[in-house]
Amino acid sequence: MYWLVEDEEQLNVLINSGYKKAFIEVIPYNDTIHPIQNHVSLVYIRPIKASKGFMICIAHSEALNALNTRINEVLNKFETLYCRDKKEILHYFPIKTLYDINTPPNPYIRPTTQTHDLYYRQHKDNPELNLIIPIVKHYELCENIFEDLKANINIKKTKYDEFFNSRVSVVFNAIERSGIRIHNETFSGYFHAVDGEYVNTQFNLKTTTTRPSNKFNNVNYAALNKENGCRKSFIPRNNRFVEIDISAYHPSLSARLIDYDFAGVDIHAHFASLYGVDYKKSKELTFKQLYGGVFDNYKHLEFFQKIEKYVGELWSKFQSDGFVECKVSGYRYKKENLDNMNPQKLFNYILQNLETSTNVLILWDMLCILRGYKTQLVLYTYDSFLLDVDDDEEILEEIRNIFKKYELNIKEIEGYDYNFTE
């Protein structure tokens, strides 16, 4: 069978081939367009037991474009579809058989060919650019990706691989799909021109610490400026924004790691009384010591005694075993993958992983509750969750109960744009 599938007869051969497992890569209309606004040009399928891959044409200038109605029939024939980026492909094909074989800490950068580089230098603003790049070059690219990643298919699956595939990829795909409404003129003034009234965020899940970044088209949605007014660009599609912030998140998570009980008190107020300073200064002192090491004049405090003991034991285990495994996610930080590590840095990584994995559980519960409602979760940034709320839906109390379930204290801010003032 020829590698290019462009008619019904060829497609039927592939459907009836009996292959159960394959690698999949999607070629969209343009690689720089967000998947939500994008369309599929070609689908590369590489059955694991085949000697070559097959390129199914959905829309391209060089081939017949009659297979778009049957692509799901092809994909549903496979028990497992291995992929480079499950979160991305879910936008095009929301199927349960996808399995990401490129989980963190693998910083795999999708390669290109010289032809792709040339076309993107000269025509990057063409929204259908991939439809004029020769199919054979797309095929070459996909074959290269498969060759780069195929060894991962047979690696023993870890607890974290399962967590990443069943939870992490799914929740962040869902947030990206929600999009966030903008005031077009204001957004264009602060960031870039947009055709329409919605923008979509894009999470990078494949980071060293596993803490996702969130940036698309040069807009850093994880760190929007709170001072220059740019947040006025974001407005609700429903009635109002409600932002739920987790209070003293890292101190709370640290307490779980060291088995320390704050007994439900306001953590920063508690430390303020111990330090003999005001509330704002207390927050500053606590965070400095969690991230940078305990100050000598506070080493007598039980919380920080336990922190120092935990950091020391964590480092000893890392040195002796060559790795440490994170709670909740099962992710392992391995010496072989990390340069210039030290005890405090390792503790910070552990803390960030616990933050992210706990948030994934919260996001999963939240998205399950919101299914079918107009109220949507439109933005997530580490310790805050932005809801676009429809006031006719009495759902906020259910959302608040999620944080009670995970024994986390929260505060809420609301407004008619994202330029909140506390």
Side-chain angles (χ1 to χ4, degrees):
M1 181 178 170
Y2 192 55
W3 62 267
L4 179 59
V5 179
E6 54 180 334
D7 62 38
E8 296 284 338
E9 183 178 347
Q10 293 170 313
L11 193 68
N12 287 331
V13 172
L14 182 58
I15 290 173
N16 297 318
S17 63
Y19 294 124
K20 297 299 184 183
K21 297 182 178 182
F23 178 83
I24 182 174
E25 181 70 19
V26 173
I27 303 297
Y29 277 29
N30 185 306
D31 294 337
T32 66
I33 297 174
H34 195 287
I36 288 294
Q37 282 95 37
N38 226 333
H39 301 282
V40 178
S41 171
L42 302 159
V43 178
Y44 171 82
I45 298 287
R46 174 65 183 259
I48 303 307
K49 293 186 177 181
S51 59
K52 65 177 182 292
F54 301 95
M55 190 69 88
I56 302 173
C57 182
I58 307 300
H60 196 280
S61 61
E62 292 181 348
L64 300 173
N65 302 319
L67 304 180
N68 58 315
T69 59
R70 297 191 65 196
I71 185 61
N72 287 322
E73 183 181 350
V74 179
L75 300 182
N76 288 332
K77 283 289 183 178
F78 293 94
E79 295 176 355
T80 306
L81 285 168
Y82 300 108
C83 61
R84 169 187 56 85
D85 190 331
K86 178 175 178 175
K87 175 179 66 67
E88 178 184 327
I89 295 181
L90 280 171
H91 286 302
Y92 301 115
F93 301 108
I95 50 180
K96 295 181 179 180
T97 50
L98 289 171
Y99 195 92
D100 198 317
I101 56 172
N102 181 42
T103 57
N106 305 307
Y108 181 74
I109 299 173
R110 185 173 178 264
T112 60
T113 67
Q114 290 184 352
T115 302
H116 283 83
D117 292 340
L118 176 63
Y119 273 84
Y120 272 90
R121 279 198 302 269
Q122 297 180 350
H123 310 287
K124 66 178 181 178
D125 294 328
N126 180 348
E128 299 182 351
L129 180 54
N130 283 337
L131 275 64
I132 60 175
I133 294 176
I135 295 179
V136 69
K137 302 312 293 185
H138 290 309
Y139 181 74
E140 177 187 333
L141 170 66
C142 292
E143 289 275 278
N144 289 339
I145 293 172
F146 176 73
E147 288 299 318
D148 289 342
L149 296 177
K150 66 180 182 180
N152 293 358
I153 293 172
N154 294 321
I155 294 175
K156 184 179 179 181
K157 303 302 181 285
T158 66
K159 178 183 174 182
Y160 181 74
D161 290 333
E162 299 301 327
F163 183 73
F164 185 89
N165 274 279
S166 66
R167 291 293 185 267
V168 179
S169 296
V170 178
V171 298
F172 288 109
N173 171 269
I175 300 171
E176 290 181 4
R177 279 190 282 110
S178 293
I180 183 167
R181 189 182 177 205
I182 58 169
H183 184 273
N184 194 297
E185 184 178 348
T186 307
F187 184 91
S188 299
Y190 281 104
F191 301 110
H192 57 78
V194 175
D195 182 16
E197 59 175 337
Y198 290 92
V199 292
N200 295 89
T201 63
Q202 189 170 60
F203 291 92
N204 173 23
L205 308 180
K206 317 261 174 105
T207 63
T208 303
T209 65
T210 71
R211 193 188 206 197
S213 57
N214 185 7
K215 185 176 181 180
F216 186 72
N217 206 2
N218 295 318
V219 180
N220 187 353
Y221 292 98
L224 292 167
N225 193 303
K226 294 183 178 181
E227 309 297 332
N228 68 357
C230 71
R231 291 182 172 220
K232 291 184 293 185
S233 306
F234 303 97
I235 57 177
R237 71 192 76 190
N238 294 307
N239 298 106
R240 59 193 169 109
F241 280 146
V242 174
E243 184 177 69
I244 299 177
D245 294 330
I246 300 174
S247 302
Y249 200 7
H250 278 194
S252 297
L253 294 177
S254 300
R256 296 180 186 187
L257 292 173
I258 61 174
D259 194 26
Y260 183 89
D261 187 5
F262 281 107
V265 301
D266 183 314
I267 292 174
H268 294 307
H270 173 70
F271 276 121
S273 65
L274 295 176
Y275 299 145
V277 299
D278 62 27
Y279 193 91
K280 183 178 179 182
K281 184 65 176 179
S282 170
K283 291 176 66 174
E284 177 187 331
L285 286 171
T286 300
F287 287 128
K288 279 184 176 180
Q289 293 178 89
L290 281 180
Y291 305 143
V294 180
F295 300 160
D296 288 342
N297 50 330
Y298 299 122
K299 287 187 175 183
H300 65 284
L301 298 177
E302 182 186 359
F303 176 81
F304 289 117
Q305 287 178 353
K306 289 192 170 186
I307 287 288
E308 285 203 305
K309 181 182 178 183
Y310 178 82
V311 171
E313 291 174 347
L314 187 72
W315 183 249
S316 295
K317 182 173 178 56
F318 185 68
Q319 296 288 9
S320 61
D321 297 351
F323 71 91
V324 289
E325 183 170 303
C326 301
K327 292 185 176 181
V328 181
S329 70
Y331 184 79
R332 288 187 173 187
Y333 288 110
K334 299 178 181 179
K335 286 181 69 175
E336 63 196 64
N337 297 326
L338 300 169
D339 296 324
N340 302 316
M341 289 301 292
N342 59 59
Q344 194 63 42
K345 188 176 180 180
L346 180 62
F347 173 66
N348 292 341
Y349 277 22
I350 290 289
L351 202 52
Q352 289 186 28
N353 183 275
L354 182 57
E355 170 205 86
T356 300
S357 53
T358 302
N359 285 342
V360 166
L361 300 181
I362 291 169
L363 290 166
W364 180 270
D365 289 350
M366 194 179 295
L367 291 165
C368 287
I369 288 172
L370 292 173
R371 190 177 296 140
Y373 285 92
K374 293 180 181 178
T375 297
Q376 293 189 42
L377 174 69
V378 294
L379 191 63
Y380 149 80
T381 50
Y382 308 138
D383 62 354
S384 69
F385 305 76
L386 184 65
L387 294 162
D388 188 329
V389 176
D390 185 314
D391 286 336
D392 290 333
E393 298 173 341
E394 297 182 2
I395 199 169
L396 282 179
E397 194 58 36
E398 284 189 70
I399 299 296
R400 295 182 186 110
N401 286 336
I402 295 172
F403 296 92
K404 291 179 182 177
K405 171 184 173 181
Y406 293 102
E407 300 180 340
L408 295 166
N409 295 322
I410 59 173
K411 60 181 179 180
E412 295 180 21
I413 319 171
E414 64 176 71
Y416 299 105
D417 62 38
Y418 192 37
N419 197 40
F420 297 128
T421 54
E422 296 187 44

